[in-house]
Amino acid sequence: DTAVSQTPKYLVTQMGNDKSIKCEQNLGHDTMYWYKQDSKKFLKIMFSYNNKELIINETVPNRFSPKSPDKAHLNLHINSLELGDSAVYFCASSGGTGSNQPQHFGDGTRLSIL
Amino acid sequence: GNSVTQMEGPVTLSEEAFLTINCTYTATGYPSLFWYVQYPGEGLQLLLKATKADDKGSNKGFEATYRKETTSFHLEKGSVQVSDSAVYFCALDSGGGADGLTFGKGTHLIIQP
């Protein structure tokens, strides 16, 4: 069984549209994350979510909003998509907020804006 | 703030060669250190980790030692295989978890038969 699963794997859409990416983890983890990987493979944290506490990277535009219906899910909503949003988005989860807890990653969602 | 610096790639080696990918970090406190690997078209997989100074993480023939005095966590493998071709990321977690991982820019490793 896949531990962290994201859907869709590929998302192609027009500029200005609103889209969502879903993430589910079956590891029983308390903390979930979203990362953005740009065209040069650089990974940067966007959000972390733990026990209803949301930590937002200050560089993330407010067009991006994470939503967590329950502990096993952290979905990413993006409004008014822009060309610069084209990237691969990774969801991850970890068993706690201690620094020795490794994060488990999904396979990524490749978002392409036309 | 936290930062991770790793050698830029691509790194091209022949099969059975010795591998070193350098990684140094800047962080407050006592971070945990990780190496992740990303195979083409896939997500990141944890390769190994070390949570305190002088710890050695190892997995699948890869090793890295947490060196606090040099703020380094270099990845090594004695004999690489074609199947090791991937992008390798050094990362740190400075604690609290809420800040997420801080990644290096990744090193693309290409192993030729």
Side-chain angles (χ1 to χ4, degrees):
Chain A
D1 284 343
T2 304
V4 180
S5 59
Q6 302 178 220
T7 53
K9 190 173 175 70
Y10 299 96
L11 182 54
V12 181
T13 189
Q14 302 269 1
M15 207 163 50
N17 284 350
D18 303 337
K19 290 293 179 185
S20 296
I21 305 172
K22 294 185 177 180
C23 178
E24 175 182 5
Q25 54 95 3
N26 63 6
L27 298 167
H29 285 168
D30 295 324
T31 308
M32 295 183 73
Y33 310 83
W34 277 104
Y35 289 85
K36 179 180 180 180
Q37 185 176 44
D38 64 21
S39 58
K40 295 184 178 179
K41 297 282 190 186
F42 185 55
L43 279 150
K44 195 166 185 180
I45 183 74
M46 300 177 71
F47 305 100
S48 68
Y49 193 85
N50 173 270
N51 282 334
K52 300 191 186 300
E53 181 186 6
L54 176 65
I55 307 296
I56 302 172
N57 185 312
E58 61 187 13
T59 66
V60 175
N62 58 15
R63 298 181 295 103
F64 290 78
S65 57
K67 294 209 170 31
S68 179
D70 55 57
K71 204 171 80 162
H73 296 83
L74 184 66
N75 303 324
L76 182 64
H77 297 271
I78 317 168
N79 295 326
S80 302
L81 281 157
E82 299 178 358
L83 289 174
D85 297 333
S86 295
V88 181
Y89 292 86
F90 287 99
C91 178
S93 71
S94 68
T97 55
S99 66
N100 62 350
Q101 300 294 326
Q103 294 184 17
H104 298 256
F105 285 78
D107 285 341
T109 296
R110 182 174 295 277
L111 174 62
S112 300
I113 310 301
L114 303 177
Chain B
N2 299 332
S3 67
V4 175
T5 302
Q6 60 183 106
M7 56 195 297
E8 303 269 341
V11 173
T12 304
L13 296 173
S14 298
E15 208 166 16
E16 299 183 3
F18 184 87
L19 168 70
T20 301
I21 300 178
N22 290 336
C23 171
T24 57
Y25 67 90
T26 303
T28 54
Y30 302 96
S32 290
L33 302 174
F34 305 87
W35 277 100
Y36 282 84
V37 58
Q38 184 177 28
Y39 298 102
E42 297 184 13
L44 281 79
Q45 300 175 24
L46 177 67
L47 183 59
L48 53 84
K49 70 173 187 176
T51 58
K52 61 183 188 298
D54 299 326
D55 267 2
K56 178 187 279 189
S58 60
N59 185 28
K60 300 181 181 179
F62 290 90
E63 292 183 339
T65 301
Y66 189 143
R67 302 282 187 205
K68 188 164 178 285
E69 63 277 12
T70 54
T71 62
S72 65
F73 193 54
H74 304 322
L75 182 68
E76 296 182 336
K77 186 174 185 183
S79 176
V80 292
Q81 306 300 314
V82 172
S83 58
D84 294 327
S85 299
V87 181
Y88 291 80
F89 292 92
C90 185
L92 70 83
D93 187 342
S94 60
D99 294 337
L101 291 168
T102 299
F103 284 93
K105 292 188 175 181
T107 300
H108 186 193
L109 176 65
I110 301 168
I111 307 300
Q112 296 177 333

